[in-house]
Amino acid sequence: MDPDDRRPEPIDEESSLSETLLTYGAPFFGTLLVAVGIAGGTLGGYAVVQSQLDLCGNPTIVVYSPGATDQLTAATRTDPLREFGIDELAPAERRAFEDALENPRDTGEVRGRFVHRQAFERGVLVTSGGTTRYVTISSVNPCLGVDPLLFPLGVVFVLLGALGILTPPLYRKLLEREERARGTNR
């Protein structure tokens, strides 16, 4: 082998910059695309199935114990809360109230027509079996309002990101092939 063949090729600045971008820039950008793709795909996928799985749209009420009711309503003596008997509630409200009494967290979801929603937002007193309890809405679970197109876009971003992450090994394989091709042509 000729000693002149062993001399390294001169490094031009343009080649060095492109190699640096392929080695470090593409994987970094690919990682960002994967992260954005995962977030977008998750949100878009959830937006598609949330209403079918009944994961949103139903407010949750909380029913307080009689002792807590006395403490919570002490300040409302001048502006009394609206009172309902259990029979006055709509069927969905009654089911949620009864579920809350059986639930260890004292909560129940109103699944159906919520006739007295405005009153429950302020807080109401519900009498059942001679016991009066304070009841109010503890949370409202609105449906996520994102475009379902986020799911396929998220998948595309993850795939493009994976390609970016795999760019350095693919580039190295390409260089090895070129070196082998040069070696066989000589």
Side-chain angles (χ1 to χ4, degrees):
M1 194 177 242
D2 189 14
D4 292 336
D5 288 342
R6 290 189 172 182
R7 269 189 281 145
E9 295 180 21
I11 299 175
D12 61 346
E13 209 166 293
E14 189 175 308
S15 173
S16 176
L17 179 63
S18 67
E19 286 179 13
T20 303
L21 284 175
L22 285 173
T23 304
Y24 300 109
F28 177 74
F29 188 65
T31 304
L32 292 178
L33 282 176
V34 167
V36 169
I38 289 172
T42 303
L43 285 176
Y46 181 73
V48 171
V49 300
Q50 66 182 340
S51 58
Q52 284 84 13
L53 297 177
D54 203 22
L55 298 172
C56 63
N58 300 320
T60 303
I61 60 168
V62 61
V63 178
Y64 290 91
S65 67
T69 297
D70 291 339
Q71 291 176 349
L72 292 168
T73 58
T76 63
R77 302 278 184 234
T78 57
D79 187 21
L81 297 172
R82 193 155 170 206
E83 294 186 38
F84 293 99
I86 189 73
D87 297 332
E88 297 176 71
L89 297 178
E93 296 166 345
R94 191 175 318 118
R95 261 190 318 276
F97 179 82
E98 291 167 353
D99 288 347
L101 291 177
E102 294 173 10
N103 186 330
R105 293 185 339 202
D106 300 325
T107 60
E109 275 191 42
V110 181
R111 295 176 183 263
R113 237 176 105 218
F114 200 171
V115 178
H116 303 103
R117 184 181 184 121
Q118 285 184 329
F120 274 79
E121 285 175 354
R122 183 171 181 268
V124 296
L125 297 172
V126 177
T127 304
S128 170
T131 305
T132 302
R133 297 172 185 269
Y134 178 71
V135 183
T136 189
I137 295 176
S138 64
S139 69
V140 180
N141 304 319
C143 292
L144 182 64
V146 298
D147 194 348
L149 187 61
L150 275 178
F151 179 69
L153 284 175
V155 171
V156 168
F157 274 41
V158 168
L159 293 174
L160 287 174
L163 184 63
I165 292 169
L166 293 175
T167 297
L170 294 174
Y171 181 66
R172 276 187 236 113
K173 293 280 185 194
L174 179 68
L175 289 179
E176 287 173 6
R177 276 192 187 156
E178 286 178 6
E179 285 294 319
R180 273 190 252 128
R182 274 192 225 143
T184 58
N185 288 340
R186 289 184 188 187

